[in-house]
Amino acid sequence: MSIKKVLTGNHAVSYGAMASRVQVISAYPITPQTQVVELLSELVADGKLDAIFVNVESEHSAMSACISASAAGARAFTATSAQGLALMHEMLHWAAGARLPIVLADINRAMAPPWTIWTDQNDSLSQRDTGWMQIYVESNQEAFDSIILAYKVAEQVFLPCMVVLDAFVLSHTSEPIEIHDQEKIDEYLPPYRPMVTIEPGKPIGYGALAAPDTYMEFRYKMQRAMENAVEIFEKEGKLFGDMFGHSYDLVEPYMMDDAEYVIITVGAVTSTARVAIQELRKKGEKAGLLKFRVLRPFPFEKLRELLSGRKKVAVIDRNISFGHHGIFYQEVKSALYPLSNRPPVFGYIAGLGGRDITVSDVVDIYEDMKKRETLEEIIWKGVKL
Amino acid sequence: MIMKNWQIPEKELLFSGHAACQGCGGALAMRLALKALGENSVATIPACCWTIISGDVLYHALKVPVFHTAFETAAISAAGLKAGLSVRGLKDATVFAWAGDGGTFDIGIQAISGAAERNEDIIYFVYDNEAYMNTGIQRSSATPWGAWTTTTPVKHPEDKPKKNIDEILAAHKIPYQATVNVAYPEDFIRKVTKAKNVKGFRFIHIFAPCPPGWKMASDISIQVARLATQTAIFPLYEIENGRNYTVSYLPPNKLPVIEYLKMQGRFKHLKEEDVEHIQRMVDENLDYILKKHELTHGTLENIPRPEFYK
Amino acid sequence: MDIKPIKVNSLRDLPEAPISQGVTLVRKTGTWKNVKPIIGERSAPCENACPLKIRIPKFIDYLTKHEQDKASLEILRWNPFPTITGRLCPAKCETGCNRNKYDEKVSIRELEKFLGDSFLNRKHIERKERKAGKVAVLGGSVSGMAAAYVMLSEGFEVHLFLKSHETFEDVREKIPSEVLDAEGKILKNAGLEFHENARFELSSIQKEYDFVFVSSFSYPTMVEVQEPKTGKTNYEKVYSSIEDQDISKTIKNAITAAYNIAASASGTEYIEEKLGRVVPFKEIITDYFNHEPSVKEILETGTAIQEALRCFSCGTCNSCGNCYVFCPDFAVKWVDNFPEFDYDYCKGCGVCVNECPRGILELIPEK
């Protein structure tokens, strides 16, 4: 039987991991992620979660422990933020290259210096090319659900998956959560069946040197797995809806049917944008919202289908690739390039280091986009110039 | 199987065709260690010579599985494997990390300290060839005072003493640690076997000669390794719980360090006073270990002193 | 073990994750070498010093492996009467023993005596299955008996002509008579025909026998040795040997003559097996030996083995195992307790050569 709980985003993640029956957890404290593993260590210690908690001395080791535990055939989980994720970077490559379906919750936090603990996406987006799948969630319920969904997809394509949520806006904010019936979750997410395991009696070398005559083929296989993951995300997201009442997709349209001007958001700001779109609709604007949920694998087809023929598109990026633009902006724009009727896309940098993005900010962005002509200019929203 | 000099397990868990250089002490170390560890084992190897020695993505040189991992992660990688195997019910498997001195004394020491402090149930092996050999002989904190490496050239040889990794581990009060030398295979296998039967974090420090890195002919590899112990440059001893020291062997006639140094090109440039300095450091270190032994056992009389120590 | 190389022609030939599919035996790392170890022809100073060239390290090796009868038989290949030499020879082997330079010699003669005596009741002469001919041995001194022994083993019908009834007359006073009687009985059991109190002319004997061996101890003036190396005398098909103060040389001369008779009978030439180059003390790696006093008197197997274990076994493989144990490439295989090189994987590092305590192995250029 499902139950309702009021949970912070962090605890929603912990419960998501418990519901996924993770077997090995290894983590290191960092604000704002800490509560995720605090609760998990308590659940393990209390015997409520049958898992081993490896209380490591760094995030680098946390990821390493998850990697080898996963290679030994266990379902492994960790969580981190910002500097912690950056420290894991080397091992993120390792997890993906070894094709291990580890799930990591990243509580988006901006990178130092200057020191900050508040949200933006530069930490997770810096890991875009490591071979991890990335899900950006909008709510605590979605955080809980996405952990389960992440394992379901990861264990089919044998790639690790990151579930990303905003610091404080979600991590430390309480919302009512439906904790689904465990029996049904077990039915949805059966025990981990590894592709290969490191165990006595199976003398294999795992991850040894590949010369130029073989390396590229392994990378090709990773890319193919990523490509296959698009369909699996769609299928599993639908199945999740059938079983638990809320389905998920890689990109999710809101009021898009007749929308001429579209705003694209990622993460918790989507909820803010929903209100803005409602307001704009009330004013008679043909405004639509596209929630960008899964960055990797990249949902080319769906994105093109949803944006083809629109008048204009604005992307709100809570991140920046210095010397270029916001990262989602770049990605959306390049995805639309092959379309003959591609809309102009405008990129807005907003909310870095936890600065609020308000409903009126989104409305402003909408208005700005409508009148704007120049495409290449980087547009800062809210910076004190 | 009759071998007059040795009683060692017959089973070979290392295939020929591995990629070690001629006379590699690290390769022999693995061969001996596997004889003691047996097949119910899994290994993890970080970046080091053994990354290459163990084969490649197509062919594997060991009859136990190896999970390759990043340079600084050997200890935690082993701990993760142990955790993963444990939750799958494979609790009795021996999990070991196998790293070089760079991966241990330098880049890996954080993860080692963490795993040692948590008393993870793994065996950590360091095959110590006293420099970054796989990358082409750069100094590590395991490089001894006075040695040439490509980053401590002859005009400016290594001017820091070798880091005392054994004392660092002892400070973690791990249940068992030992120094072993490939030139003393029975002692080597006895200690690895002992380690295998202890629970918790175990640390085996292997003296592993490297002919190319030490600038010596490959055939004297074992001879030089033996001299390291005969001169007390690398004493053989065990520490239990960070407290109880047992010296495994003392040569009846301790040789002067020059006997060891003169065999190797990496020490060729040393002057007489340099050799004296090394002799003093070696004597001090041996004295320290012997005092610890005496503190533990109340005597030095129980230390074996045969000429032919195995 | 399937060691076929893996061909990677397409994605399908590789697993999804980077996991090995084969073993490194595919890689014949033996191709790296430019030198290779071989078991060289070497020998010990002891066996070189011994006039009889008894393969001393070999019999000692058998003894240490608890193969005492094989040890005795190994001596008998070279010396028919270790019971005699073990008591009377000047033990030049011991003077030459490399162990003198370490602590003290191995008591080789004591071991020889022990192995001779202890085997006496099981000793018999293995006779070659052939009709080699009929020979007469004139005189029952040690040389005559030794020649008779060899010719019996070579398949001859051997007749021994004694002045009286006594054999081994030259050593009777120095060796317990039960030992000599037992040795005589062994020859008799092997078919030696005794002609006691014999009176004869050499010419008549010559007519009746294909070959004659004359003991120059028993009949010092009967013939004259013209070719000491073969024992040929001034009479055709009559052989003899030179007597020496060193009893082992006496025996050596006699058995050499006997082997020459056998070779002559079969129309071949007797060529003595040569010993390899001597291993000097400086080639012995003493790190593999402990200082231990020698056992001076050996009366039972325990002390015999104890003493035998002191032997450096210079130049003779005694299965110490160093080459096998220290090979980083597992290219030295241990086959029937002896090393065998697997050149497919031997990289030619030379560790085995350097660690062989007894100078047996050498590196030669790889073609």
Side-chain angles (χ1 to χ4, degrees), chain A residues 68 72 90 199 204 206 209, chain B residues 57 66 68 72-73 77 88 110:
Chain A
S68 50
E90 179 191 23
E199 62 179 74
I204 50 160
Y206 195 152
L209 182 83
Chain B
V57 81
V66 169
H68 290 270
E72 63 278 53
T73 64
S77 179
R88 291 184 53 221
Q110 174 178 319

Side-chain angles (χ1 to χ4, degrees), chain C residues 187-200:
Chain C
L187 275 91
K188 191 170 184 188
N189 290 343
L192 181 63
E193 297 276 351
F194 285 75
H195 301 265
E196 294 177 1
N197 305 312
R199 299 290 174 265
F200 52 79

